[in-house]
Amino acid sequence: MARNEANTGHTQTARNTVLAAIAIICVLALAFMAVFVWSRSGSTRQTASKPADYCMTTTSSGSYPLSLTQTRNASHITAIAIGRGLPDHAATVAIATAMQESKLVNLDYGDRDSVGLFQQRPSQGWGTIEQLMDETYATNAFYDGLVKVANWQTIPVEDAAQAVQRSGYPDLYAQWDGMARAWASAMTGEVAAGITCSIHSRSTADPDGLVSAFRTLFPSITIVRSLGLDDDSDSSGSSDSSNHASTSNSANSDDSSTADQPSTVETTLTFTLPAGLSTTETKRRGWQAATWLIAHAQQYGIDAIHANGMEWTRKTGSWSGTEAAEQTLTATFQ
């Protein structure tokens, strides 16, 4: 009997020793994993802390950031409303709709056969897939439907959107009401200097591409191109004609004249609004053009924009100066 008790004691001791060893191994393994995860998370934090490119509009109700892609699409939607002579509310409804349907990204997929900014379906008569993937066609198709809705200018945004889209989830449009109003107000020029863009990635200057795109949306605004040595190459700031040249947006102008210019040449595009506008309309039209330019600053390589007495630069990312009605605005590339 004593021998059995002794054996039992030895077995228990051995078991305790094994359990203790396992516990130590687990603790060491957990410690190793903690150090590994901490070291990896540190590198992740460093990557995440790098500034991202984005644009933002701010109102009394809050700030609404968008990616550069979303900003460009919202700008395009708004510019088409302006070109069609539609009131600001049209842009609000369209932006809210596109935000809900595609998060303002031109998707080539969706529920069943839905595609594009507004997730319109070829099978429901909106057009072909190729047409609906064209942002201009898709946006005009949406506005064509919107203007047929009774009282669309006065009914709630979500009701107007649902009348056009006939979504299975009509209540979801309402969540983008405030955001859409803020962006539409800024991009239609109702709010001065309403959009700021923080852009850190570099892009190749493409004034030719900008001129082509801008003329399509704002045909009444004329464009003149000026070439001059940048500050690093011409510290005297001379405006002598040997350092500058100009071309207008007439059919005979050569928009490709800057293609082979050296990197020391600064290009400035001067946009002139139609004559005869009131002070209020001059400001509004100027901000419409300026917000389109800032929304496309990264795409076309714009370094600075001057409009209505205020200036935005890629370096600062914000507008500075005091607002004053000006018939011209400029975009500078370096």
Side-chain angles (χ1 to χ4, degrees):
M1 188 69 170
R3 179 177 297 177
N4 289 338
E5 290 178 353
N7 288 338
T8 300
H10 287 305
T11 301
Q12 185 65 38
T13 300
R15 184 179 301 155
N16 291 339
T17 301
V18 171
L19 291 175
I22 292 174
I24 292 172
I25 292 172
C26 290
V27 170
L28 291 174
L30 289 172
F32 173 80
M33 288 299 297
V35 172
F36 176 76
V37 170
W38 177 85
S39 64
R40 291 297 298 271
S41 64
S43 61
T44 301
R45 284 194 301 272
Q46 290 177 356
T47 300
S49 67
K50 291 180 180 179
D53 295 342
Y54 68 94
C55 294
M56 180 181 295
T57 185
T58 301
T59 68
S60 58
S61 60
S63 296
Y64 302 94
L66 290 177
S67 71
L68 298 189
T69 296
Q70 291 173 313
T71 301
R72 287 193 296 269
N73 287 330
S75 174
H76 193 69
I77 288 170
T78 304
I80 291 176
I82 294 170
R84 292 177 61 132
L86 296 174
D88 298 356
H89 189 62
T92 298
V93 176
I95 291 173
T97 302
M99 192 66 185
Q100 172 56 35
E101 296 291 352
S102 68
K103 293 298 183 289
L104 277 169
V105 177
N106 195 28
L107 302 176
D108 61 359
Y109 61 90
D111 179 46
R112 286 173 280 193
D113 59 338
S114 300
V115 295
L117 285 172
F118 297 92
Q119 290 292 281
Q120 295 149 326
R121 298 178 59 189
S123 62
Q124 292 185 342
W126 284 100
T128 66
I129 291 178
E130 182 178 5
Q131 288 174 325
L132 297 177
M133 286 300 298
D134 182 296
E135 295 95 329
T136 299
Y137 178 95
T139 301
N140 276 310
F142 178 83
Y143 286 138
D144 288 345
L146 179 64
V147 297
K148 295 176 184 176
V149 177
N151 303 316
W152 70 268
Q153 298 184 48
T154 56
I155 61 178
V157 170
E158 58 270 26
D159 292 345
Q162 174 61 11
V164 179
Q165 297 291 105
R166 297 187 209 117
S167 169
Y169 306 94
D171 296 335
L172 296 181
Y173 295 114
Q175 65 183 311
W176 306 112
D177 191 343
M179 168 267 175
R181 288 182 190 279
W183 278 96
S185 296
M187 290 181 164
T188 57
E190 182 180 335
V191 176
I195 297 173
T196 59
C197 288
S198 178
I199 302 173
H200 304 276
S201 60
R202 299 301 302 177
S203 54
T204 302
D206 183 16
D208 293 340
L210 185 147
V211 168
S212 178
F214 187 91
R215 285 177 182 167
T216 300
L217 295 168
F218 302 94
S220 66
I221 298 178
T222 59
I223 309 171
V224 172
R225 184 197 315 268
S226 300
L227 305 180
L229 297 178
D230 63 24
D231 292 339
D232 292 334
S233 300
D234 182 18
S235 59
S236 65
S238 171
S239 59
D240 185 84
S241 59
S242 63
N243 289 335
H244 294 266
S246 298
T247 59
S248 70
N249 68 342
S250 66
N252 295 327
S253 65
D254 181 10
D255 287 336
S256 63
S257 60
T258 64
D260 297 324
Q261 294 294 333
S263 59
T264 56
V265 172
E266 177 184 273
T267 300
T268 298
L269 298 178
T270 300
F271 304 80
T272 303
L273 305 178
L277 299 176
S278 67
T279 298
T280 299
E281 189 62 17
T282 296
K283 288 182 179 180
R284 188 177 178 92
R285 295 284 294 275
W287 287 123
Q288 289 173 359
T291 54
W292 187 92
L293 290 173
I294 194 173
H296 294 79
Q298 197 280 334
Q299 180 180 3
Y300 294 113
I302 300 174
D303 285 290
I305 301 169
H306 180 93
N308 287 331
M310 302 184 71
E311 185 163 0
W312 170 88
T313 67
R314 182 187 288 256
K315 183 177 181 180
T316 64
S318 59
W319 291 95
S320 61
T322 302
E323 186 187 19
E326 294 179 340
Q327 195 177 6
T328 62
L329 57 151
T330 61
T332 303
F333 308 77
Q334 289 183 336

